[in-house]
Amino acid sequence: MVAYGGIDALIWLCRSSKNKDLHHLTTTILAMLAEKESIRPVIITKWALSPLLFLIRHYTNTQQKTNNKKSPTNSIHSTENNSEADLSSDAQYMSVVLEIMINCTHILYQLSRAGILSQKEVISDGVFSTLLMLATFNITNMPTDEQQQVMSRVDIIQSLASKAISSISSLVSLQVNIIEEIQGTNKLSDLLRSSSDEVRKYAAKTIAYLSLRNDKYKPVLLCGDGSKALISILAILPQKDMDEECRSKDLEYYLPQGSTGHLEKDTEQQSIINSATVSHVCCALANFATNNESQVNLMSQPHLLRYICNVFTTFPNHTEILRHVARCIANLALYDCFNVLPTLLSMGKVSKSDVQRHIVRAIDNLSSNVPLTSGDDNTPSHWRELFGDAYLYISKILEDEDGDVKDVDTIKRAKSIIAREKQEPDEEEIEEVEEEEEESGHVSDKKNQKHTKNKRRSKKHK
C-alpha cells in the first residue's frame, strides 16, 4: 500500500473524487489502515489531513443546511448538484454521509491516540477545532423510521471526537496551545453538558488533563460556565437529607434550562454510567484546588463541599474516586471546612494507603488552621472537640505496624497531628494556671498595699 502508491491514490480520490460512494470506500479503507501503527505516520506525511478535514466540514454542512446543499460532483470543491441535493433527505444518502464522517473521525482519533500530531496540525490546520465541532455534532431533522439508526451513528461520531480531544489534551507540549484555543469560550463546558455519557466522560477527562499542570491557566478553564458545568456532574448525583427547595435551586443554578432529562434515568444505572465521569471531575477539582484564584472560584459555588462529600456516599467502594475526593478536600483545607471531617473519617475506614495518605494530609491541613488556645487569656480552643475522632483515627494508623501505610510523608503528618494534640492544654491545666495567676495577683496586691502603707507612714514621720 505504501511502496506502490496505494495511500497516495486513496488520498487523491478523497481530494478530487466526484461522488460520495468513492468517498465512502476510500475513507473506509483509510480508517482500517489507520489502526495499523506503521501506517499512521504515512497518513500524515502524505498530507491526508487537509482533504479529510474538508470532507468532514463539507458533509457536516450538507446535513445541517436545508437549502443550497453542496454535493461532491466533478470535484469536491464544485458547485451544487441538484440531483445530489434532492437525495439529502433520503435515508440511504444520510446513512452513507454519516459513515463517511465516522470514517474520517476514526482516522483523526487513531492519529490523536498515537500522539503523533504536531502543534501545526492540531491548532493551525484545525484538527482540534474540527474535533470540537464533531463532539457536538447533531441532526435535528431526520426520518422517524430511521431515527434510532441515525442517532446511533451520531453517537459514534461524538464519542470518537471526544476521545480524540482527550488524547490530544494529554500531551503536555500541546496543553498551553489548547487552552489558548478555547480561552474565552464555553466549548468544553458545552461538552460537559452533552446528553451523551461518553462525551461528558471524555470532556471531564480532558479538563483533568489540562488542569494537572499549567497553574496560571487554571482560572481560564473555570471562567464563564466552566466551574458550574464541572460541578453539575456532581450535583445531579442522588442526594440524601437535602432540602427539596434548596436542591431545586441548586439544580436550577448548575443546569441550564431543559437539560435535566437525563436525571430521570434509573439511579443505579446512572451511577454505573457516570462513575468514570465523576472520577475525572473529582480529579479536575483536586487539580484546580491547588491554585488560589481557582479555589476562590470553586468555593463560591453553592454547596460545593456537600456535593464533593456526597460522592463518597454514592461510590463508597470506588478507590480511584475516593482518592480524588480525599485529595480535593486536602487541597481545599485552607478554608475552615470542618464539616468534611465525618466524610474523611468514614472514607478512612474503607480505604487503603493510597487514599489514606490524602485523608491524613487533609486532617493535618485542617487541624493546623485551629489554634490550640484562643485569645490572650489562653482559654481552650475547640481543637479536641473538632478533632477528637480524627485523633483516634490517626493514632490507630500509627499503631498499626502491619498496615500498608508506609509513606514517609503520611507518617510525618500523622505524628504532627499527634504532637499538636499533646500541645493543647487540658482544662485542668488551664484551671491550675488561672488559680496560680489569681494567687500571684492576690499576693502582689498585698505587697502593693503594704508598700502604700509604708509610704504613708514615712510621710507622716517627716
Side-chain angles (χ1 to χ4, degrees), residues 128 174-184 210-211 213-214 217-218 220-221:
F128 192 77
L174 297 176
Q175 288 179 349
V176 172
N177 302 104
I178 291 172
I179 294 173
E180 291 176 348
E181 176 79 5
I182 60 176
Q183 185 173 358
L210 296 177
S211 62
R213 299 174 180 85
N214 313 302
Y217 287 99
K218 289 181 181 181
V220 173
L221 293 170

Side-chain angles (χ1 to χ4, degrees), residues 53 56 102 104-117 122 127-132 134-135 156-171 174 178 188 191 198-199 201-203 205-206 209:
L53 292 174
I56 292 173
I102 289 175
C104 294
T105 310
H106 181 75
I107 296 169
L108 295 181
Y109 165 62
Q110 291 296 338
L111 299 179
S112 303
R113 189 168 67 94
I116 58 177
L117 292 173
V122 172
V127 170
F128 192 77
S129 59
T130 301
L131 288 171
L132 286 172
L134 289 170
I156 293 173
I157 294 172
Q158 292 180 350
S159 176
L160 287 171
S162 60
K163 288 179 181 178
I165 292 171
S166 175
S167 298
I168 292 175
S169 300
S170 68
L171 302 176
L174 297 176
I178 291 172
L188 289 182
L191 298 185
E198 284 287 291
V199 173
K201 178 174 72 174
Y202 286 102
K205 191 174 184 179
T206 297
Y209 280 134

Side-chain angles (χ1 to χ4, degrees), residues 200-409:
R200 290 200 302 272
K201 178 174 72 174
Y202 286 102
K205 191 174 184 179
T206 297
I207 296 176
Y209 280 134
L210 296 177
S211 62
L212 183 60
R213 299 174 180 85
N214 313 302
D215 192 67
K216 72 175 184 177
Y217 287 99
K218 289 181 181 181
V220 173
L221 293 170
L222 291 179
C223 282
D225 195 40
S227 54
K228 286 167 51 176
L230 196 64
I231 300 171
S232 69
I233 302 295
L234 306 185
I236 64 175
L237 293 175
Q239 301 289 322
K240 294 181 179 179
D241 303 327
M242 189 172 187
D243 181 69
E244 291 185 3
E245 183 179 355
C246 178
R247 172 75 167 153
S248 178
K249 288 182 179 179
D250 279 4
L251 291 179
E252 184 178 352
Y253 174 81
Y254 285 116
L255 303 178
Q257 187 176 4
S259 65
T260 59
H262 56 280
L263 291 178
E264 298 176 359
K265 294 180 180 179
D266 179 74
T267 301
E268 182 179 357
Q269 182 183 4
Q270 183 190 29
S271 299
I272 294 173
I273 293 174
N274 289 341
S275 61
T277 308
V278 171
S279 177
H280 297 321
V281 168
C282 292
C283 177
L285 290 173
N287 295 340
F288 283 122
T290 60
N291 177 275
N292 291 334
E293 188 176 345
S294 298
Q295 277 189 358
V296 174
N297 187 323
L298 291 175
M299 293 299 291
S300 66
Q301 304 304 316
H303 302 107
L304 169 68
L305 293 175
R306 183 186 187 113
Y307 290 128
I308 292 175
C309 292
N310 180 65
V311 173
F312 167 67
T313 305
T314 310
F315 305 98
N317 300 315
H318 199 300
T319 302
E320 183 179 358
I321 290 179
L322 298 187
R323 180 169 64 250
H324 293 317
V325 169
R327 187 165 65 92
C328 182
I329 294 175
N331 292 339
L332 291 172
L334 293 176
Y335 293 84
D336 297 336
C337 46
F338 304 114
N339 54 332
V340 302
L341 279 171
T343 300
L344 288 171
L345 298 178
S346 298
M347 288 170 54
K349 295 178 181 178
V350 298
S351 303
K352 296 184 179 180
S353 60
D354 56 342
V355 180
Q356 283 183 340
R357 67 190 184 93
H358 295 298
I359 295 175
V360 173
R361 184 164 68 90
I363 295 174
D364 182 39
N365 291 344
L366 286 170
S367 64
S368 63
N369 292 337
V370 181
L372 299 178
T373 57
S374 57
D376 298 331
D377 54 354
N378 291 328
T379 57
S381 68
H382 298 289
W383 198 98
R384 280 199 176 90
E385 182 180 347
L386 289 172
F387 297 98
D389 294 336
Y391 171 78
L392 297 176
Y393 169 73
I394 298 298
S395 300
K396 186 176 180 181
I397 289 179
L398 292 176
E399 292 172 0
D400 187 12
E401 297 180 357
D402 298 328
D404 54 357
V405 182
K406 302 296 182 183
D407 183 72
V408 176
D409 182 68

Side-chain angles (χ1 to χ4, degrees), residues 133-150:
M133 179 270 295
L134 289 170
T136 57
F137 174 75
N138 204 354
I139 297 178
T140 54
N141 299 322
M142 67 184 78
T144 306
D145 56 339
E146 298 289 337
Q147 185 172 0
Q148 184 176 358
Q149 184 179 8
V150 170

Side-chain angles (χ1 to χ4, degrees), residues 57-96:
R57 289 191 293 268
H58 173 77
Y59 284 113
T60 301
N61 293 334
T62 300
Q63 291 301 318
Q64 291 180 343
K65 290 183 179 180
T66 56
N67 298 316
N68 299 324
K69 293 182 174 63
K70 296 181 180 180
S71 176
T73 58
N74 299 326
S75 170
I76 190 62
H77 300 282
S78 65
T79 58
E80 68 176 82
N81 180 282
N82 291 331
S83 61
E84 285 286 336
D86 292 338
L87 291 173
S88 62
S89 60
D90 183 77
Q92 184 179 1
Y93 177 84
M94 183 180 293
S95 175
V96 173

